[in-house]
Amino acid sequence: MIAPSILNADNMHLSRDIKAAIESGIDRFHIDIMDGYFVPNLSYGPELVKDFKRSFPLTEAEIHLMSNNLKITLPLFVEAGCDLLEFHYEATDNPSYWLKYLKDHNVRRGMAINPSTPVQKVRPFLKDLDQVLLMTVKPGFGGQKFEEKSVERLVELKNMIKAENLNLPIEVDGGIDRETLKISRDAGATIFVVGSYIFRNGSIKDQVMKLKKEDK
């Protein structure tokens, strides 16, 4: 699955770019939420998610919450109507509380881990997750280069999920293009967050079609 990151779309023509991707067969978008503390950048608020779901009700809004103030931020995006929310393992001392919160509010649950976080840290939570997001760059900014060490981390995560007898999708985010999509796919990823490659290289439709050829 290709999940375009709107962080790299044209903010002055965001609806246009989203529509172009949907018309190319996209049914999920990755929305990066940054609060300026967990990562040194700012992005969108819950109103954008509300507008997104009102304008594109049949399209999934996947929230990547980069905030260490979950008590304030996470409920706001649940209330805004997101379909799936991924928070960072590194952002809380009590991941189980927030996983239960999401379940109780009928939001699918994801957990993200930074490149510096050992993959084994997510093992205790796998049975309570709908997907795992393995960051392939340090979070906070788009357009970064895919970190090669991510390949062995993907293999480790895939094998760990298999050992738990689970069928859990692995998502990758950071530096994904045709080449790194294929590398990540072969290592175990099944969901690919793509930003700059789709929205900063001419025709959105052409870029999506190129990626779909590799996502098989």
Side-chain angles (χ1 to χ4, degrees):
M1 173 188 287
I2 310 297
S5 170
I6 67 169
L7 186 67
N8 298 99
D10 184 341
N11 284 321
M12 294 296 99
H13 301 282
L14 195 53
S15 180
R16 178 201 66 190
D17 286 0
I18 291 171
K19 287 177 181 177
I22 291 173
E23 289 169 359
S24 304
I26 295 297
D27 53 21
R28 179 191 293 189
F29 286 83
H30 184 88
I31 304 177
D32 289 302
I33 306 300
M34 299 179 280
D35 68 358
Y37 293 95
F38 185 73
V39 293
N41 199 358
L42 293 166
S43 60
Y44 311 109
E47 289 301 319
L48 179 132
V49 179
K50 291 179 183 178
D51 291 345
F52 178 96
K53 290 304 296 183
R54 183 175 63 251
S55 298
F56 308 104
L58 300 180
T59 304
E60 292 187 340
E62 170 186 280
I63 300 301
H64 176 195
L65 184 58
M66 287 168 273
S67 171
N68 50 12
N69 190 2
L70 300 187
K71 185 177 180 180
I72 298 297
T73 56
L74 190 149
L76 291 174
F77 289 94
V78 168
E79 183 181 344
C82 68
D83 299 285
L84 186 151
L85 189 145
E86 302 165 308
F87 63 87
H88 272 261
Y89 166 84
E90 304 88 358
T92 175
D93 293 328
N94 193 0
S96 295
Y97 173 85
W98 293 109
L99 292 173
K100 184 178 186 301
Y101 182 95
L102 292 171
K103 182 179 181 181
D104 290 345
H105 288 79
N106 298 310
V107 175
R108 301 205 303 281
R109 300 163 291 175
M111 184 177 287
I113 55 172
N114 287 338
S116 59
T117 299
V119 171
Q120 289 290 333
K121 293 291 186 180
V122 301
R123 183 188 284 271
F125 310 103
L126 291 177
K127 68 181 186 304
D128 296 318
L129 293 171
D130 294 295
Q131 71 183 45
V132 180
L133 169 56
L134 190 145
M135 293 300 299
T136 48
V137 299
K138 185 177 179 180
F141 295 92
Q144 298 184 64
K145 185 178 178 181
F146 180 89
E147 294 191 11
E148 292 183 4
K149 69 177 183 178
S150 302
V151 176
E152 60 187 61
R153 286 166 55 80
L154 275 168
V155 173
E156 181 184 358
L157 180 56
K158 179 184 69 173
N159 290 337
M160 190 168 70
I161 291 170
K162 184 178 180 180
E164 297 289 334
N165 294 311
L166 297 170
N167 183 22
L168 192 62
I170 300 173
E171 182 175 56
V172 287
D173 179 6
I176 303 299
D177 54 24
R178 288 181 70 183
E179 180 182 353
T180 54
L181 185 152
K182 185 175 181 180
I183 291 170
S184 301
R185 181 201 66 197
D186 292 345
T190 54
I191 305 172
F192 309 93
V193 177
V194 188
S196 301
Y197 184 82
I198 289 177
F199 293 115
R200 302 284 177 90
N201 284 287
S203 167
I204 292 172
K205 180 178 180 179
D206 288 349
Q207 295 305 99
V208 171
M209 291 301 106
K210 289 175 186 176
L211 291 168
K212 283 181 172 290
K213 289 179 181 179
E214 303 296 343
D215 182 24
K216 294 180 179 178

